[in-house]
Amino acid sequence: MVPSPLIPRKVYAPVPHKPFIRTLRAQWLGAQLRELREERGMTLELVARHLNRDRSALGRYELAEWPIQRGDVLALLDLYGFHRATDRAQLLSLAEEVWRTDRWNDNYGDIVDSSFIDFPWLESRAETVCSYHAAVVPGLFQLPAYADLVIRCTEGPKVSEEKIRRGVALRMDRQLVLKEPRRISFEVIIDEAALRRQIGGPSLLRAQLAHLTKVTRLPQVDLRILPETVALHPGVDGSFWLFRMPRPYPEVGYLESLAGQMYFELPKSERFRDAYDEVREASLDPITSARLIKSIGEEMS
């Protein structure tokens, strides 16, 4: 009997492993789990022993370096004594969608604006916050009287005085980020038209511009003015933000509108990056911008 020839074994090339993208959902879920653990005074070692898990794996879950399974989230919530049905359901639902980067408002409704991903949370984690402001001086640099008028306008005629006071107080509290030891870099572009819009009249605008001049001297602030001579640019549709996060986290685009707050992760955030870079290129340099701010303020005298 003639032996059959050996058939060469097919060798398959290894499939390259793609790293998990640290989405906002994964980051937020990890932050919530870490907060619950620390509130209970538990260490990673203690939790790992109790659940028979690897300590480093739990740490990666909290840092959003690896997607956590729904079953592990459930076990952690039980261990932490987190039994509120609605909140548990939200976190468990989030665990099933840590890979998603879209449809924030459709899926989570009001959670986005209150206890879910929010502006201060992103800002506190960013390395650099880039923004373009088309109509008014940004809230981070507003005086209380200026902020009061802006909030009254945006909230509408039925807004209560209490809500206005609370809004101004929150805006002033947020400005403390400019004094924190861990300095976040702020790259801010303001349209020249915003500097000339007489919100509150010449006296208030003069004071606001004088304050803005002081802001230009802060080392963590790169403030530029887009001159009114630039007719068309990517910011004609309105203000926008771009959060540049520390590696390996992806950057995030952000918009505010009458429809609410909207967040955009990769690949949609790439459009924000390109738009910001183009507007920045068309803007005045920081020194020339500071001179223009001072000049417009002197015109109010």
Side-chain angles (χ1 to χ4, degrees):
M1 182 174 182
V2 180
S4 59
L6 293 176
I7 300 175
R9 185 177 180 182
K10 188 174 183 180
V11 178
Y12 294 92
V15 178
H17 172 70
K18 292 183 178 180
F20 173 67
I21 297 175
R22 278 81 167 177
T23 64
L24 288 184
R25 285 171 170 84
Q27 293 178 58
W28 182 257
L29 178 59
Q32 296 303 296
L33 293 175
R34 178 177 180 177
E35 183 176 321
L36 286 172
R37 176 176 60 78
E38 292 178 343
E39 284 177 356
R40 273 63 176 179
M42 297 181 179
T43 63
L44 280 173
E45 290 84 357
L46 178 64
V47 175
R49 285 200 304 269
H50 184 85
L51 297 180
N52 195 26
R53 295 287 191 276
D54 182 74
R55 176 193 177 281
S56 61
L58 292 176
R60 288 195 293 271
Y61 291 156
E62 291 185 357
L63 294 173
E65 294 178 351
W66 193 255
I68 187 170
Q69 299 294 317
R70 186 181 187 278
D72 283 336
V73 174
L74 185 60
L76 289 172
L77 296 181
D78 289 341
L79 176 62
Y80 300 151
F82 192 70
H83 299 308
R84 291 195 297 270
T86 302
D87 294 337
R88 280 174 65 97
Q90 289 172 355
L91 291 178
L92 290 171
S93 175
L94 184 60
E96 297 174 348
E97 298 189 337
V98 291
W99 53 272
R100 296 191 62 173
T101 62
D102 60 351
R103 296 180 62 189
W104 285 95
N105 291 5
D106 291 348
N107 282 52
Y108 297 98
D110 294 337
I111 305 172
V112 174
D113 297 327
S114 55
S115 62
F116 213 66
I117 298 296
D118 58 21
F119 194 101
W121 186 84
L122 273 175
E123 186 177 70
S124 68
R125 285 157 176 77
E127 286 189 338
T128 305
V129 180
C130 305
S131 58
Y132 165 71
H133 304 270
V136 298
V137 172
L140 192 62
F141 307 143
Q142 290 176 2
L143 292 175
Y146 189 99
D148 181 291
L149 294 174
V150 172
I151 292 171
R152 286 179 187 276
C153 177
T154 56
E155 291 291 340
K158 296 182 180 179
V159 64
S160 67
E161 291 297 319
E162 173 58 27
K163 187 171 184 179
I164 292 173
R165 284 194 295 271
R166 190 165 62 249
V168 173
L170 288 172
R171 195 158 292 190
M172 297 304 106
D173 286 345
R174 179 174 162 251
Q175 293 181 6
L176 295 175
V177 72
L178 296 173
K179 301 178 181 179
E180 290 181 354
R182 183 225 172 213
R183 289 181 174 176
I184 304 168
S185 297
F186 292 91
E187 295 186 6
V188 182
I189 302 171
I190 306 176
D191 198 291
E192 183 179 343
L195 303 182
R196 298 185 180 279
R197 183 165 285 108
Q198 293 196 21
I199 295 173
S203 179
L204 177 56
L205 181 58
R206 184 167 60 250
Q208 178 62 71
L209 294 179
H211 176 66
L212 200 58
T213 298
K214 295 178 182 178
V215 169
T216 64
R217 302 174 189 142
L218 296 176
Q220 70 272 40
V221 175
D222 182 304
L223 198 159
R224 300 167 186 259
I225 305 302
L226 181 68
E228 57 187 0
T229 52
V230 180
L232 289 175
H233 56 85
V236 293
D237 287 333
S239 305
F240 63 89
W241 286 256
L242 177 69
F243 296 88
R244 299 188 192 274
M245 312 299 286
R247 291 186 178 182
Y249 301 107
E251 59 193 9
V252 182
Y254 172 80
L255 287 176
E256 287 182 356
S257 69
L258 293 175
Q261 300 172 330
M262 292 175 284
Y263 300 87
F264 301 88
E265 298 178 69
L266 289 171
K268 293 181 180 178
S269 61
E270 293 177 349
R271 184 174 181 185
F272 286 74
R273 181 207 312 150
D274 294 342
Y276 181 81
D277 290 344
E278 189 171 337
V279 174
R280 188 176 187 274
E281 182 67 25
S283 299
L284 303 175
D285 63 76
I287 294 176
T288 308
S289 295
R291 290 172 182 163
L292 179 58
I293 294 170
K294 183 178 180 181
S295 175
I296 296 174
E298 291 173 348
E299 293 175 12
M300 300 296 108
S301 303

